[in-house]
Amino acid sequence: MNSKTKVLLAEDEISLGMIVQESLESRDFEVLLCANGDIAWEKYKASKPDILVLDVMMPKKDGFTLAEQIRKIDPFTPIIFLTSKGQTEDVVKGFGQGGNDYIRKPFSMEELIVRINAQLDRKLIKNQQRDWLELGEFEFHPTRQLLKLGEKESPLTARESQLLEILLENSNDITDRSLILTRIWGADDFFNARSMDVFITKLRKKLQDDPNIQILNVRGYGYKLVC
């Protein structure tokens, strides 16, 4: 089992990106190097990294735009911005777009690694603190894979729990089918889509004791958890 920390690195300056990638890999990180924001978005959806290191100035989709897009569906994964910009308003904008930290170029690899580890430590603490999540009349524990209604606890399978967690992260909004399929099943294809539909049906049955919770099928787009 691969237990390496997965870093998604988006950097359009190829030589710098390769240097950072090699340095991180030498310290036992797994690095997904992307040359622009569009590629980084696709890699993010497919790989679910532990942390993102995003250059601000990139072609096709800049780091701020990419971070904003990611934060709509993922409020938890740490984001560190890399930039040559030094203006205070740029720093403020970076944090406003969902960034957790900000490193100005040029930087040392030791500084980047220290900052990556600091964000991962904070993420671990937050995950440990995340206990039962509210879901209508239910409580949901993603790590223990349990649904609780009053004193009654119902176990979930790993995929049921993953699917419910993604829907809950984006509750009362549409969750893209392709995003779910790539994050949980690894590919957006017909057979995986049929499998996902089966799991949606199972979740609906397990949540039916609260009539205010619905998982709606938004044709052509995905699903919407209403709670």
Side-chain angles (χ1 to χ4, degrees):
M1 182 176 177
N2 186 0
S3 59
K4 290 184 178 181
T5 298
K6 189 180 296 182
V7 180
L8 191 152
L9 171 63
E11 171 59 65
D12 68 314
E13 189 179 335
I14 301 301
S15 58
L16 175 60
M18 292 180 66
I19 290 171
V20 175
Q21 180 182 28
E22 290 173 4
S23 297
L24 290 175
E25 288 177 343
S26 71
R27 290 163 173 83
D28 214 29
F29 290 93
E30 178 184 349
V31 181
L32 305 170
L33 178 59
C34 310
N36 63 60
D38 281 349
I39 295 173
W41 170 241
E42 295 303 322
K43 287 277 189 181
Y44 163 78
K45 291 191 294 181
S47 63
K48 199 174 182 181
D50 298 296
I51 189 167
L52 300 104
V53 180
L54 309 179
D55 183 31
V56 171
M57 299 300 292
M58 291 188 293
K60 297 188 178 180
K61 186 181 280 128
D62 65 77
F64 289 155
T65 302
L66 176 59
E68 183 180 24
Q69 191 172 8
I70 289 170
R71 281 293 179 250
K72 289 179 179 179
I73 57 172
D74 177 0
F76 303 115
T77 303
I79 297 174
I80 298 176
F81 288 117
L82 302 178
T83 183
S84 55
K85 291 185 172 185
Q87 299 296 322
T88 302
E89 55 266 31
D90 293 319
V91 177
V92 171
K93 182 178 180 181
F95 286 115
Q97 298 298 89
N100 300 93
D101 203 352
Y102 202 99
I103 302 179
R104 292 182 176 89
K105 298 177 182 178
F107 57 88
S108 71
M109 280 306 307
E110 293 307 318
E111 178 188 9
L112 177 59
I113 289 167
V114 165
R115 289 175 182 254
I116 286 174
N117 285 330
Q119 291 301 324
L120 291 171
D121 287 343
R122 291 189 186 104
K123 179 184 178 184
L124 178 61
I125 291 170
K126 287 180 181 178
N127 286 342
Q128 290 171 341
Q129 290 174 340
R130 286 177 69 207
D131 197 1
W132 291 98
L133 305 178
E134 291 186 10
L135 177 56
E137 296 296 319
F138 286 91
E139 292 178 286
F140 168 47
H141 200 303
T143 306
R144 293 172 57 189
Q145 298 171 202
L146 286 174
L147 268 179
K148 185 177 179 182
L149 182 63
E151 296 301 315
K152 179 184 176 183
E153 291 187 353
S154 302
L156 300 172
T157 67
R159 281 194 170 168
E160 285 173 343
S161 186
Q162 286 177 298
L163 178 55
L164 185 56
E165 186 173 16
I166 291 174
L167 292 171
L168 184 57
E169 285 174 2
N170 205 31
S171 61
N172 298 311
D173 203 350
I174 298 171
T175 304
D176 186 87
R177 286 175 64 91
S178 178
L179 173 70
I180 298 172
L181 288 167
T182 52
R183 280 177 63 174
I184 299 179
W185 278 267
D188 180 357
D189 60 36
F190 173 79
F191 296 104
N192 287 335
R194 291 292 298 272
S195 177
M196 179 176 66
D197 291 340
V198 171
F199 278 92
I200 289 287
T201 299
K202 290 180 178 179
L203 283 179
R204 284 174 174 148
K205 289 180 179 178
K206 292 187 175 183
L207 295 168
Q208 65 185 357
D209 287 336
D210 184 348
N212 293 315
I213 297 177
Q214 299 181 70
I215 302 177
L216 305 178
N217 184 2
V218 183
R219 188 176 298 276
Y221 293 95
Y223 293 100
K224 182 177 182 179
L225 174 65
V226 179
C227 59

